[in-house]
Every structure is written in C-alpha cells, then in structure tokens.
Amino acid sequence: MDATPQIVAYQPSHRDALLDLSIRAWEPVFPLLETDVPGFVYESFYP
C-alpha cells in the first residue's frame, strides 16, 4: 500500500473513507465549540 497522499476528484466510492476521516478530524474540536455556538446549532452537527 502506497502511503503517499494523493489528491483525486471525489467519487461516490470515497464516501465512507471521507466520512471516517472527517469525523476523526473533527471529533476533538466539537467539545471545544459547545460553549461558543447556540445549542441548536451544536446539536444539529454533533454527535
């Protein structure tokens, strides 16, 4: 497996990997935002 990152056009087959990456990247950020945004906004995006 090549560990070199590559930028490619999005394909529907990338969806699961992209969602996994996004969730892992944002997971530590969401708790920090809870007090800075209105509750209804926070609850719309997390968990």
Side-chain angles (χ1 to χ4, degrees):
M1 179 175 179
D2 186 0
T4 304
Q6 295 180 347
I7 298 173
V8 298
Y10 175 78
Q11 298 292 321
S13 62
H14 299 150
R15 183 179 186 274
D16 289 342
L18 179 60
L19 288 174
D20 180 60
L21 173 64
S22 299
I23 290 168
R24 287 187 292 125
W26 281 97
E27 190 171 34
V29 177
F30 273 108
L32 302 174
L33 295 175
E34 186 172 11
T35 59
D36 295 327
V37 297
F40 73 93
V41 173
Y42 183 83
E43 292 169 7
S44 293
F45 291 96
Y46 187 79

